[in-house]
């Protein structure tokens, strides 16, 4: 989804542009703010939630809002050499079901780094 021509572009803008180029009939709404309880968008207005957040607090909030509004959640994250992608459907298990509490030893990409291709592979899986 990313390439040299998108250097300096917000991740949300880069992803939206790529999705719209692949399928012009898809309407992408970007949310380019830090996700917090005060700034959470109305998830009820969307068909699907793609969680590409890079911090645990936002990840749990996105999951909680998807459950509250009964929306499918596609989650992806990467750290170091590892990545994870999950799909949570309304009425089924949620992210918080799998991980009831935030682990105290979680790191961010800025603290631990991430191997360049890993987020790209996770992002690719999220779009399938």
């Amino acid at each position: 989804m990313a390439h040299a021509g998108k250097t300096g572009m917000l991740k949300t803008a880069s992803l939206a542009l790529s999705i719209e180029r692949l399928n012009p009939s898809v309407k992408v709404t970007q949310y380019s703010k830090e996700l917090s309880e005060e700034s959470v968008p109305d998830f009820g207005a969307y068909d699907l939630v793609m969680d590409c957040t890079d911090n645990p607090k936002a990840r749990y909030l996105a999951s909680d809002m998807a459950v509250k509004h009964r929306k499918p959640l596609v989650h992806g994250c990467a750290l170091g050499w590892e990545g994870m992608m999950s799909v949570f459907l309304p009425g089924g298990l949620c992210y918080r079901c799998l991980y009831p509490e935030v682990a105290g030893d979680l790191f961010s990409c800025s603290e631990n780094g991430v191997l360049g291709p890993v987020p790209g592979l996770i992002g690719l899986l999220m779009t399938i």
Side-chain angles (χ1 to χ4, degrees):
M1 294 291 171
H3 57 75
K6 294 182 178 179
T7 302
M9 183 181 284
L10 290 173
K11 289 187 280 186
T12 53
S14 173
L15 181 60
L17 183 62
S18 295
I19 291 171
E20 289 167 351
R21 283 185 178 160
L22 288 171
N23 188 345
S25 65
V26 173
K27 182 178 185 272
V28 177
T29 303
Q30 297 177 52
Y31 188 76
S32 303
K33 299 177 188 173
E34 184 175 333
L35 191 61
S36 69
E37 291 188 29
E38 297 79 31
S39 68
V40 69
D42 177 12
F43 280 33
Y46 305 115
D47 296 323
L48 172 75
V49 178
M50 300 273 300
D51 171 19
C52 306
T53 58
D54 58 3
N55 72 71
K57 185 177 179 182
R59 198 169 296 140
Y60 281 92
L61 183 56
S63 175
D64 293 345
M65 292 295 104
V67 168
K68 177 182 176 182
H69 293 284
R70 300 196 48 78
K71 300 297 177 179
L73 173 72
V74 180
H75 159 77
C77 63
L79 186 65
W81 292 72
E82 300 175 5
M84 180 176 91
M85 193 282 302
S86 305
V87 177
F88 301 101
L89 300 175
L93 293 176
C94 66
Y95 188 84
R96 192 175 291 279
C97 296
L98 293 176
Y99 306 103
E101 297 178 22
V102 177
D105 61 348
L106 291 177
F107 299 99
S108 68
C109 291
S110 61
E111 294 171 338
N112 204 43
V114 64
L115 182 67
V118 174
L121 292 170
I122 298 301
L124 176 65
L125 290 172
M126 291 174 73
T127 63
I128 295 176

